[in-house]
Amino acid sequence: MNEYKSYTLRNYNEINQLKSLTAGDRNAIEVVGNVLPFKTNNYVVENLIDWGNIPDDPIYTLTFPRKEMLLDNHFKLMEEKIGSTADKENIKTLANQIRMQLNPHPAGQAHNVPSVDGIELNGVQHKYRETALFFPSQGQTCHAYCTFCFRWPQFVGMNEIKFAMKEIELLKRYLIRHREVTDVLFTGGDPMIMKTKILSTYLHALLDDELYNLKTIRIGTKALGYWPYRFTTDNDADELLRTMETVIKSGRNLSIMAHFNHPVELSTPAVEEAIKRIRSTGAQIRTQSPILRHINDSPEIWSQMWRKQVDLNLIPYYMFVVRDTGAQHFFGIPLAEAWNVFRNAYQTVSGICRTVRGPSMSTNPGKVQVLGVSEIRGEKVFVLRFLQGRDPDWVARPFFAKYDEKAIWLDELKPAFNEAKFFFEDELEEIFHERYDFDESENFE
Ligand SMILES: *Cc1c(COP(=O)(O)O)cnc(C)c1O
Ligand code: SF4
């Protein structure tokens, strides 16, 4: 058994390796850590971070607060507040004020609450026809926190924007009423933070014959990167594997959607062992990651990561563009550059690795892939397409936006050829008027 030890603002001074940090780097942890969520653990600290390369090490940057993650003015405000005689409440108020300026719930996330028999399912999101997202209330935290994460409002105690649902029965009822749903995706936070007892209660409930439409259960997790012992030496790891086997035996597909941001996360004996054990249950493992400045913004890193994943029998699935939230000024990469990293990596790996799709933005109307940059009748354009759409009919239709070297997100793009709107905009507006009382359609970030 490997003992899990987490480090937060309260006890990070116990991390021996931090003694080599400069006073400035330590101060940054304190200041930024009061605004963005900060949690890491002994596995990450001892196995993934190269302490000779601080603060630039990618995994250090992934889990430790750095000064540049806050805008200068926000940093100064918080630094002064901490240095003053302000009490905890006072610091918290300022932290919340800053957080509200960091766009805590992008892409209309807070507004997709489905209902069954007039009861709202706060822990369910059903945006794309085939797939319902399920946020089990006990799975809304993680083994460590990623500094870029858009889920961060869930971790910093702003409860009013936290998705949670206790009752799996409601989800079952919903799935019976919505036979179009073939996939349930457990997400969080990290559902693998849950004890096996709780997770398997949820999973077993979904294996009911009545839910014959449910073909695939997916579990999104970062545990392979942050705590592979979840599948090996934790005291309920074996029981977890048996639960996975039960899902497979029911005739369903079980897909672990694993988040890996850097090849170093695939390099330890512990992660290799965890992968083998998961695969031995019959479950598949697909991988995804955003492309992030300071962490994985080069084609070499991506081709190395995809190649290594396939060597370990994982299936590369998505490359995402980082959302306009949190420390986006630090992590964000223009769409044109993201596409260049994608294609330069994609070109160097074999077809087996090219199951990956991207770069993709998870926007209000849907998942939009940047297919590339092209020139049509003298106009330089982005060629885009929906990988997922609020209307399934939008999917796989190429469309065009004016090329913009600096654009980071769909809402900064203008239709090409001087058209007034993108093809989906009118319908998106209709969808919002039907489903919601307010007009959010302008906001197709
Ligand atoms: C990505 C995503 C899904 C799953 O989409 P797939 O293309 O089937 O992987 C489902 N719901 C939401 C809201 C998503 O963002
Ligand atoms: S593990 Fe996932 S949900 Fe948790 S902080 Fe990282 S990106 Fe966010």
Side-chain angles (χ1 to χ4, degrees):
M1 172 115 182
N2 288 282
E3 204 69 54
Y4 172 75
K5 169 114 177 112
S6 78
Y7 298 107
T8 65
L9 263 199
R10 253 186 307 109
N11 66 345
Y12 72 95
N13 275 314
E14 296 169 21
I15 302 175
N16 269 327
Q17 290 88 337
L18 281 183
K19 301 219 159 71
S20 59
L21 254 62
T22 64
D25 290 336
R26 284 160 161 279
N27 182 49
I29 294 177
E30 199 67 41
V31 175
V32 180
N34 265 291
V35 180
L36 300 175
F38 167 40
K39 178 163 98 175
T40 188
N41 68 50
N42 50 330
Y43 172 79
V44 174
V45 165
E46 289 160 23
N47 298 280
L48 301 184
I49 295 173
D50 172 3
W51 289 94
N53 182 27
I54 304 301
D56 294 328
D57 177 77
I59 307 297
Y60 179 83
T61 304
L62 186 62
T63 58
F64 281 85
R66 286 176 55 177
K67 181 169 195 297
E68 303 83 356
M69 291 175 187
L70 284 187
L71 296 172
D72 273 344
N73 59 325
H74 288 157
F75 189 92
K76 285 200 187 99
L77 280 172
M78 185 48 89
E79 191 176 34
E80 276 164 25
K81 184 66 84 183
I82 292 173
S84 73
T85 55
D87 59 15
K88 273 208 173 103
E89 270 318 296
N90 226 309
I91 293 174
K92 220 177 175 180
T93 305
L94 176 64
N96 279 336
Q97 280 165 359
I98 297 174
R99 287 170 192 153
M100 288 318 288
Q101 291 174 44
L102 299 177
N103 190 19
H105 38 189
Q109 274 205 94
H111 305 298
N112 300 308
V113 182
S115 64
V116 61
D117 299 331
I119 306 167
E120 286 200 339
L121 284 75
N122 281 302
V124 174
Q125 207 185 327
H126 188 191
K127 182 166 165 179
Y128 307 132
R129 189 171 56 194
E130 291 81 13
T131 305
L133 305 190
F134 178 50
F135 297 76
S137 54
Q138 302 90 340
Q140 301 312 305
T141 182
C142 310
H143 292 96
Y145 293 149
C146 309
T147 41
F148 69 82
C149 181
F150 70 91
R151 297 263 158 86
W152 55 273
Q154 287 163 226
F155 314 137
V156 291
M158 296 173 74
N159 280 320
E160 66 273 22
I161 37 183
K162 171 170 166 172
F163 294 102
M165 188 175 116
K166 296 218 163 59
E167 210 34 280
I168 190 86
E169 287 307 315
L170 274 180
L171 174 62
K172 282 175 68 176
R173 240 199 279 174
Y174 186 81
L175 295 175
I176 288 168
R177 302 286 168 79
H178 291 268
R179 294 295 185 188
E180 73 276 16
V181 178
T182 57
D183 290 35
V184 167
L185 169 52
F186 283 67
T187 184
D190 189 339
M192 286 298 176
I193 200 94
M194 288 191 274
K195 292 280 162 236
T196 300
K197 234 183 202 54
I198 298 164
L199 180 59
S200 65
T201 304
Y202 284 132
L203 289 172
H204 286 138
L206 293 181
L207 303 184
D208 195 324
D209 286 342
E210 225 184 330
L211 302 181
Y212 53 80
N213 46 314
L214 182 60
K215 307 286 190 203
T216 286
I217 297 177
R218 302 193 223 177
I219 304 176
T221 183
K222 179 80 192 170
L224 282 166
Y226 281 165
W227 192 251
Y229 307 127
R230 178 73 191 89
F231 309 96
T232 59
T233 59
D234 276 7
N235 56 22
D236 59 353
D238 290 348
E239 193 189 337
L240 173 63
L241 297 191
R242 282 199 297 275
T243 298
M244 292 177 149
E245 277 167 7
T246 312
V247 176
I248 298 291
K249 283 196 187 113
S250 82
R252 293 180 171 85
N253 171 267
L254 177 62
S255 284
I256 303 302
M257 311 304 288
H259 300 217
F260 290 109
N261 308 110
H262 193 277
V264 75
E265 294 171 280
L266 296 154
S267 69
T268 71
V271 74
E272 287 197 19
E273 177 65 18
I275 289 167
K276 271 192 206 138
R277 292 188 51 141
I278 293 171
R279 297 269 305 127
S280 76
T281 68
Q284 299 180 320
I285 307 174
R286 288 180 170 72
T287 63
Q288 56 194 51
S289 171
I291 175 168
L292 302 156
R293 183 78 71 211
H294 305 293
I295 292 185
N296 59 23
D297 54 344
S298 84
E300 293 73 30
I301 293 177
W302 283 88
S303 54
Q304 203 189 331
M305 189 155 68
W306 292 332
R307 189 62 250 177
K308 179 81 185 168
Q309 287 170 357
V310 169
D311 293 347
L312 296 171
N313 288 308
L314 317 181
I315 307 166
Y317 193 62
Y318 274 133
M319 174 203 270
F320 290 118
V321 180
V322 70
R323 284 166 184 255
D324 50 348
T325 177
Q328 212 253 12
H329 65 276
F330 180 74
F331 290 114
I333 291 185
L335 297 172
E337 189 183 338
W339 171 64
N340 273 315
V341 171
F342 181 88
R343 70 176 171 136
N344 286 320
Y346 196 80
Q347 285 169 1
T348 63
V349 294
S350 84
I352 287 292
C353 308
R354 293 186 190 159
T355 47
V356 65
R357 291 164 304 161
S360 168
M361 296 171 265
S362 293
T363 70
N364 214 336
K367 278 194 174 69
V368 177
Q369 178 184 19
V370 181
L371 279 173
V373 175
S374 189
E375 200 172 294
I376 296 177
R377 293 200 194 155
E379 184 174 338
K380 201 171 179 188
V381 296
F382 280 119
V383 186
L384 307 163
R385 70 161 175 172
F386 283 96
L387 294 170
Q388 279 291 0
R390 284 198 186 258
D391 180 344
D393 191 50
W394 299 346
V395 173
R397 286 202 214 170
F399 66 103
F400 304 91
K402 259 202 192 85
Y403 179 74
D404 176 346
E405 189 185 41
K406 295 209 178 84
I408 296 206
W409 205 248
L410 183 64
D411 63 348
E412 294 163 36
L413 296 181
K414 303 257 175 317
F417 319 125
N418 290 318
E419 280 170 19
K421 291 178 179 180
F422 289 115
F423 79 93
F424 57 85
E425 283 187 60
D426 285 337
E427 199 189 327
L428 180 68
E429 200 171 320
E430 268 170 47
I431 291 172
F432 271 100
H433 279 306
E434 262 168 45
R435 290 195 200 160
Y436 311 110
D437 296 337
F438 53 88
D439 183 8
E440 210 197 11
S441 58
E442 285 300 304
N443 186 9
F444 60 82
E445 77 260 25

